[in-house]
Amino acid sequence: MTTLPTPDILRPASYVYGTWHTAPEGQTLYDAVYGRPVAVISSEGVDFAAALRYGREVGGPALRRLTFHTRARLLRALATYLLERKEDYYRLSLLTGATRRDGWVDIEGGIGTLLSYASMARRELPDERFLPDGKVEQLGKGGTFVARHLLVPREGVAVQINAYNFPVWGMLEKLAPAFIAGMPSLVKPAPQTAYLAERVVRDIIASGLLPEGALQLVTGEPGDLLDHLEEQDLVAFTGSAATAAKLRVHPNLVARNVPFNTEADSLNASVLGLTVRPEDPEFALYVREVAREMTGKAGQKCTAIRRAIVPRDRVEEVVAALRQELSKVTIGDPARDDVRMGALVSTEQRERVRATLAALQREAQLVIGGEERELLGGDREKGAFLDPTLLLCESPLTARGPHELEAFGPVATLLPYDTLEEAAYLTRMGRGSLAGSVVTHDRAEAAELVMGMASSHGRILILNRENAKESTGHGSPLPQLLHGGPGRAGGGAELAGISGIKHHMNKVAVQADPTTLAAITHEYVPGAEVKEDVIHPFRKTFDELQVGDSLLTHRRTVTEADIVNFAALTGDHFYAHVDEIGAREGIFGRRVAHGYFLISAAAGQFVWPAPGPVLANYGLENLRFVEPVGIGDTIRTRLTCKRKIRKDLRPGETRPTGVVEWHAEITNQRDELVATYDILTLVERAPDAADNLTV
């Protein structure tokens, strides 16, 4: 039987101002399973002011020279590099008390976040060093004065203070959006598991993939780090609400208005619907989800279910089902294949959980737990083991403890309710949560609960038989979704897809004439000067095309035959097009051409028919029909290169391409705009150096 090996004493170092720094003495850390010394950490001798200057003066400029897409390629390459070394991280993770499954969430979940952000950046952001945000605003009637918001990287350091429970994921989920945004990171892991974070950082630095200064690491205490922060810096903190409250009012942070983002532990709740019966699939789903959240990572998850809110007439059945489910959970040495739950991170943490559990029992009774199960390996005293424990609070509306005290371990409290309104109110009594869940197949019930819970939650999962196979579960933050919550949860916003990147950028409104604004944003702005050429724009390659290249087409008069033939071809016989009497009585007062006929006719005006660099139509966006076009009206189209988006080669592809976005404007014989839209085309480009980068 595999067991946790006796570890060598590790000396995790700090990586600051381009060098590894190891202190001669420091705090001794112990493994969570047998209580043996595992590491000595210290930040003694680190010059925190110098580390921040290095990030601002070396890391920041190096990152800001790169575009979003280049940063994304580097991040993807880094993720691939780390995945090849993941087994080293799993071995160290066992020392923290985490099982292989727990480690998977932390290690591969963290690396997966890098991949997700790399993909999102390449898919949703331009290949630029700044991000145009929102639409162009016309500020004057004549169209000569316009404005647009731009997002640019903050010229400081993102100081990232992480919790002990996810030393890899917690670090990488903060690093990814900061890196894509162009902001260097200074990582401060929690001491208890800093040796695992340090090992990952060692590999990141050794890869040589990140620009120097883009990532620094401080193990040990943070010293006077916060005293040296400046206005362009920001802080992202994960940990307890009490610690967050102290750090948030640090005098220097307050004086310099340094942004402080908090993701704090919260008393997350899961509600079993009133309509769910014990024989329904949702009942079993609820029980499994509560048990999984209680025991995953030994309950040390900021998103774990702390309050199980169930219909009062289902309490006994839920307790019985949970007792059976939790009885299957084997506890002990996480290196063993037959162990499902490991230890808490330290004996100190175990004692804190025991103290909180004792306080909770003043208002709730113990219904599962209290005895010491057989350990499958590990040391009951020197290790940090605690058995799964379930409490029942019969009067949750008047109790305070279950809504205020968090036992950060394998502990949950059962709270009975009588009405859906009461259930939603109970969730809100936690004063703000990262995650909540509702388990029901009744859509009306789900809707009422979500609306009752939404104001106090950052994320809500509706779990039922329809989505159970694909659901990632109550406690799984995803890169695409918000990880944060109001009130007790900290009021912060991590991840959330592109929003997490924007958090690391400064928003500025730029006002100018259309041509100047186009020159600044590298995107065509309606009303800006255009460049007309004797060479048709569809005959130009991606590299030859320039933003502002434009074609004004020949004219075409719309006939009755056009409308009748289009109706016959498409089957669209809407009265406004084909019924003379009905059309006269309609809003246009006459028969008008189909909107999609206008788009098709415009394509016939501007498309170059022969083979060339334009390979395919890639899509159409922002379509608006402004004025009707009737029989006898004459149209023509102006097509202008709006922006260019380089595409990376996919595996197996050999023909480099880019996407060109064209702005199309169809006007009538009075030069009135009748339709406007954007067209995306796939255009051939020349190979470049980035095509050789393995991604």
Side-chain angles (χ1 to χ4, degrees):
M1 179 67 68
T2 302
T3 58
L4 195 68
T6 302
D8 296 328
I9 302 298
L10 305 170
R11 288 193 168 272
S14 296
Y15 185 74
V16 287
Y17 25 87
T19 62
W20 287 99
H21 175 88
T22 305
E25 297 181 355
Q27 176 187 356
T28 300
L29 306 178
Y30 300 88
D31 83 69
V33 181
Y34 293 96
R36 300 169 299 196
V38 65
V40 177
I41 65 166
S42 175
S43 60
E44 185 179 351
V46 171
D47 186 334
F48 293 103
L52 290 168
R53 281 198 306 273
Y54 190 76
R56 297 185 198 112
E57 297 173 6
V58 177
L63 279 173
R64 292 193 295 274
R65 283 193 290 269
L66 308 177
T67 66
F68 290 118
H69 288 198
T70 301
R71 295 174 205 146
R73 292 185 202 104
L74 293 175
L75 206 62
R76 184 174 181 83
L78 177 62
T80 301
Y81 183 89
L82 295 179
L83 278 173
E84 293 169 353
R85 291 153 179 81
K86 66 182 181 181
E87 292 304 324
D88 293 337
Y89 314 145
Y90 275 114
R91 282 189 285 272
L92 283 179
S93 181
L94 293 172
L95 298 172
T96 72
T99 64
R100 176 85 183 192
R101 182 180 178 84
D102 295 334
W104 180 85
V105 175
D106 184 30
I107 296 163
E108 298 192 50
I111 297 172
T113 299
L114 299 184
L115 291 169
S116 292
Y117 266 95
S119 177
M120 280 188 279
R122 290 159 66 197
R123 185 177 64 248
E124 300 182 40
L125 300 180
D127 195 14
E128 298 281 1
R129 295 178 294 170
F130 60 90
L131 176 62
D133 189 47
K135 63 186 180 74
V136 175
E137 300 289 346
Q138 185 169 314
L139 304 178
K141 291 183 178 179
T144 62
F145 188 41
V146 294
R148 196 173 189 187
H149 289 99
L150 300 183
L151 292 170
V152 297
R154 298 178 67 89
E155 296 194 5
V157 175
V159 174
Q160 297 157 358
I161 304 172
N162 298 322
Y164 67 78
N165 51 345
F166 289 101
V168 182
W169 178 85
M171 172 174 63
L172 298 183
E173 63 98 8
K174 292 184 178 68
L175 171 66
F179 184 83
I180 293 293
M183 196 170 187
S185 297
L186 190 153
V187 175
K188 166 62 186 71
Q192 298 95 321
T193 54
Y195 51 86
L196 177 51
E198 190 257 14
R199 177 53 197 269
V200 177
V201 171
R202 276 197 180 273
D203 285 343
I204 293 174
I205 301 303
S207 75
L209 289 166
L210 303 193
E212 183 54 58
L215 173 61
Q216 298 183 85
L217 173 75
V218 173
T219 57
E221 295 302 316
D224 61 352
L225 174 63
L226 299 185
D227 293 336
H228 302 289
L229 293 178
E230 297 179 355
E231 289 80 0
Q232 287 289 310
D233 301 320
L234 61 79
V235 177
F237 170 82
T238 299
S240 72
T243 303
K246 294 177 183 178
L247 296 180
R248 192 190 298 274
V249 294
H250 186 282
N252 186 49
L253 270 61
V254 174
R256 293 179 177 267
N257 288 317
V258 176
F260 188 89
N261 190 81
T262 303
E263 184 262 289
D265 307 330
S266 58
L267 290 160
N268 311 292
S270 183
V271 181
L272 179 66
L274 267 178
T275 61
V276 178
R277 299 166 301 178
E279 62 270 23
D280 292 338
E282 285 70 30
F283 188 87
L285 286 172
Y286 184 81
V287 169
R288 283 199 295 270
E289 197 69 13
V290 172
R292 182 170 67 173
E293 289 296 313
M294 287 177 65
T295 56
K297 261 291 186 172
Q300 298 170 113
K301 292 168 59 180
C302 55
T303 53
I305 295 171
R306 305 298 178 196
R307 297 176 298 156
I309 301 175
V310 303
R312 191 172 295 277
D313 60 357
R314 295 281 180 248
V315 168
E316 290 185 8
E317 292 150 317
V318 169
V319 170
L322 275 171
R323 181 176 288 111
Q324 182 178 359
E325 190 70 22
L326 292 171
S327 69
K328 304 172 188 175
V329 178
T330 51
I331 307 171
D333 187 334
R336 290 177 50 151
D337 294 336
D338 55 352
V339 167
R340 286 182 54 188
M341 189 179 95
L344 276 69
V345 73
S346 66
T347 54
E348 291 80 9
Q349 176 61 20
R350 180 190 64 193
E351 295 313 306
R352 282 193 288 269
V353 174
R354 284 176 174 172
T356 305
L357 187 54
L360 285 170
Q361 287 182 265
R362 298 189 188 108
E363 296 178 292
Q365 65 186 85
L366 189 70
V367 291
I368 298 176
E371 72 287 347
E372 290 189 350
R373 302 188 191 184
E374 175 190 3
L375 283 188
L376 301 181
D379 188 299
R380 178 62 79 171
E381 293 304 317
K382 294 181 180 179
F385 294 99
L386 187 71
D387 296 343
T389 304
L390 182 70
L391 303 173
L392 170 62
C393 177
E394 294 281 7
S395 304
L397 290 171
T398 56
R400 296 182 57 185
H403 310 295
E404 296 180 0
L405 304 174
E406 181 180 26
F408 203 71
V411 180
T413 303
L414 209 59
L415 308 177
Y417 75 91
D418 295 302
T419 66
L420 294 180
E421 183 180 9
E422 184 181 317
Y425 179 76
L426 288 172
T427 69
R428 299 196 302 270
M429 287 182 72
R431 296 183 295 111
S433 298
L434 295 171
S437 57
V438 174
V439 183
T440 181
H441 196 244
D442 186 303
R443 271 66 185 211
E445 186 171 70
E448 183 173 346
L449 285 168
V450 167
M451 290 300 102
M453 298 166 60
S455 64
S456 60
H457 287 76
R459 176 171 57 85
I460 301 174
L461 164 69
I462 311 301
L463 181 63
N464 59 34
R465 68 194 76 175
E466 309 293 345
N467 63 13
K469 288 185 178 180
E470 292 189 334
S471 171
T472 52
H474 166 101
S476 298
L478 296 173
Q480 303 91 333
L481 304 181
L482 171 68
H483 183 48
R488 181 190 174 108
E494 291 184 356
L495 298 176
I498 298 300
S499 294
I501 297 170
K502 292 180 178 180
H503 175 71
H504 296 83
M505 308 183 81
N506 183 62
K507 190 171 188 175
V508 58
V510 178
Q511 300 167 278
D513 64 274
T515 303
T516 301
L517 185 61
I520 293 170
T521 63
H522 304 164
E523 288 188 21
Y524 172 72
V525 176
E529 294 175 0
V530 297
K531 295 171 282 187
E532 295 182 296
D533 197 340
V534 294
I535 301 175
H536 193 287
F538 274 30
R539 293 174 60 192
K540 296 181 180 181
T541 67
F542 182 85
D543 310 279
E544 293 168 338
L545 274 168
Q546 300 296 317
V547 170
D549 282 357
S550 187
L551 171 72
L552 184 61
T553 71
H554 60 278
R555 295 180 174 86
R556 171 174 178 165
T557 299
V558 177
T559 67
E560 181 179 20
D562 290 330
I563 296 174
V564 172
N565 289 336
F566 192 83
L569 179 66
T570 62
D572 180 353
H573 296 282
F574 187 61
Y575 78 93
H577 311 309
V578 299
D579 182 345
E580 187 71 38
I581 297 174
R584 270 202 307 269
E585 295 173 350
I587 62 171
F588 302 122
R590 58 174 178 158
R591 288 167 64 191
V592 296
H594 302 71
Y596 294 110
F597 166 78
L598 297 177
I599 297 172
S600 300
Q605 291 177 313
F606 61 68
V607 164
W608 181 263
V614 176
L615 305 176
N617 184 332
Y618 207 65
L620 183 149
E621 298 175 341
N622 306 317
L623 173 62
R624 293 291 183 274
F625 296 115
V626 182
E627 291 290 339
V629 174
I631 298 168
D633 286 340
T634 299
I635 61 170
R636 68 174 174 177
T637 305
R638 177 171 288 283
L639 186 75
T640 306
C641 178
K642 182 177 180 180
R643 67 174 178 142
K644 298 163 56 179
I645 309 163
R646 181 194 176 280
K647 276 177 63 70
D648 284 330
L649 285 173
R650 293 182 177 179
E653 287 184 340
T654 58
R655 195 171 192 176
T657 60
V659 174
V660 176
E661 184 174 347
W662 306 86
H663 183 62
E665 293 179 319
I666 306 175
T667 54
N668 62 18
Q669 66 272 20
R670 294 180 293 277
D671 289 328
E672 297 169 336
L673 184 68
V674 299
T676 178
Y677 52 100
D678 296 327
I679 304 168
L680 305 176
T681 59
L682 194 65
V683 182
E684 194 167 18
R685 64 171 174 81
D688 57 32
D691 291 323
N692 299 320
L693 181 64
T694 301
V695 295

